[in-house]
């Protein structure tokens, strides 16, 4: 017997191996007699030594054989073929994962992190449906992906998450292809249903994509995401993004939301030696013109000019000139302050502190003048 010549794999006995050899021989004989067409060859069953209790049949067997049979990562079968709850597809379990088959999707294994992501989203009965590919190594030779009827699961290093629908389409449009090479990077969350049940979002390594049926899908990242998140995301007075971020003159940027724009000057305040920085956002209901020099950013709005001047050592001075009666009497700044950092008002300005309480940077109080150069009172409100 084969068990007398070869080492029996761990978990099997000599009795198992001998029974499997007999069953394997019987099935090989039956296959030889019945193999009159390619169709017959694709539908008969096989036993794989030293497992004798379970047979692998049909399209699942063809896939299993193409992977190397028991010599592949799945190892041996641990069940016979099982009909899925939809009464259309079938599956079969193996030591390290299952193979699923559906008439319009084919037969594909789903294992490890991909299986975990698929499982938490309802297996084939959930949004993703059946697998339509095996695992695919991404061009970066680090990440992997697997496609399903309703979306794609991506894995990189630690965990796997799915992207689907309009959010996946938008991610693919950001370029360069493939999508994980875009500025957003890999997904780090599954698609999330937002409060109210209408909107959806996915988190990525470097930002988010938000979608709603009335606004479409748009990415939000960097300082604008910092400010929008601190305002309360789509539940804030800004609402959902209705356009992508746009670069404007002077290396500033802006993004339009349902109710306001967020304008981000490039005057960031370095927070000591932490490698983190404070970013500024100016929310207005209309567009602002932007320009900058090496140390100053100028935002021009209806009846006012707002300047940010950057100094060595992590300080920024804000200066305001009111040009007409149209200028607002109150200005609100959105601050992109990293978690754990804090700010406080002092008689001379605003001090930013590290989690340990040490001073890291400062922002002087708003200096406001009218068009004739006279100092005027303006209320500055900060939203961290």
């Amino acid at each position: 017997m084969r068990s007398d010549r070869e080492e029996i794999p761990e978990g099997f006995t000599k009795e198992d191996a001998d029974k499997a050899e007999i069953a394997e021989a019987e099935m090989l004989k039956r296959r030889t007699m019945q193999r009159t067409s390619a169709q017959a060859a694709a539908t008969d069953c096989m036993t794989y030594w030293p497992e004798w209790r379970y047979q692998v049949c049909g399209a699942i067997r063809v896939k299993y054989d193409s992977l190397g049979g028991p010599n592949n990562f799945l190892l041996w079968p641990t069940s016979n073929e099982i009909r899925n709850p939809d009464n259309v597809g079938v599956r079969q379990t193996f030591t390290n994962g299952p193979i699923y088959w559906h008439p319009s999707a084919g037969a594909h294994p789903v294992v490890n992190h991909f299986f975990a992501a698929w499982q938490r989203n309802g297996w084939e009965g959930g949004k993703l449906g059946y697998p339509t590919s095996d695992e695919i190594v991404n061009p970066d030779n680090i990440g992997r992906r697997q496609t399903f009827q309703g979306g794609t699961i991506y894995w990189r290093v630690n965990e796997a998450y799915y992207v689907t629908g309009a959010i996946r389409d938008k991610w693919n449009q950001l370029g360069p292809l493939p999508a994980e090479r875009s500025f957003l990077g890999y997904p780090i969350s599954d698609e999330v249903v937002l409060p109210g049940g209408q909107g959806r979002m996915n988190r990525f390594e470097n930002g988010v994509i938000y979608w709603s049926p009335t606004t479409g899908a748009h990415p939000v990242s960097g300082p604008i995401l910092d400010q929008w998140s601190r305002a309360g995301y789509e539940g804030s007075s800004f609402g959902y993004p209705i356009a992508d971020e746009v670069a404007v003159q002077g290396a500033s940027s802006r993004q339009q939301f349902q109710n306001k724009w967020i304008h981000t000057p490039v005057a960031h305040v370095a927070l000591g030696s932490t490698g983190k920085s404070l970013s500024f956002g100016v929310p207005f209901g209309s567009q602002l013109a932007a320009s900058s020099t090496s140390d100053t950013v100028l935002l021009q709005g209806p009846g006012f000019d707002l300047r940010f001047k950057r100094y060595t050592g992590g300080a920024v001075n804000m200066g305001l000139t009111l040009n007409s009666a149209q200028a607002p009497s109150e200005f609100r700044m959105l601050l992109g302050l990293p978690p754990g950092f804090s700010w406080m008002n002092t008689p001379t300005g605003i001090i930013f502190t590290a989690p340990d309480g040490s001073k890291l940077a400062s922002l002087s109080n708003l200096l406001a003048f009218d068009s004739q150069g006279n100092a005027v009172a303006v209320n500055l409100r900060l939203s961290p």
Side-chain angles (χ1 to χ4, degrees), residues 261-345:
W261 294 72
I262 292 180
H263 301 261
T264 302
V266 293
H268 305 296
V269 177
L271 295 176
S273 59
T274 64
K276 300 180 182 297
S277 64
L278 171 71
S279 61
F280 293 95
V282 185
F284 277 94
S286 58
Q287 295 190 44
L288 301 181
S291 61
S292 73
T293 64
S294 60
D295 62 358
T296 302
V297 172
L298 172 64
L299 296 176
Q300 295 175 296
F304 68 88
D305 295 339
L306 187 59
R307 287 180 173 81
F308 300 83
K309 185 172 177 59
R310 186 169 36 199
Y311 294 92
T312 303
V316 170
N317 173 264
M318 294 189 298
L320 174 66
T321 300
L322 305 181
N323 299 319
S324 73
Q326 296 178 336
S329 60
E330 179 177 286
F331 285 80
R332 181 183 293 272
M333 294 291 299
L334 292 173
L335 303 181
L337 195 61
F341 292 80
S342 60
W343 59 272
M344 61 180 293
N345 282 303

Side-chain angles (χ1 to χ4, degrees), residues 117-138:
W118 191 40
Q119 178 186 39
R120 70 174 176 261
N121 288 288
W123 289 290
E124 77 282 359
K127 176 177 287 190
L128 289 170
Y130 281 84
T132 58
S133 78
D134 297 356
E135 281 186 31
I136 302 168
V137 177
N138 290 335

Side-chain angles (χ1 to χ4, degrees), residues 45 98 104 157 227 256-257 280:
C45 300
S104 64
V157 182
Q227 293 131 23
Q256 188 175 9
F257 293 79
F280 293 95

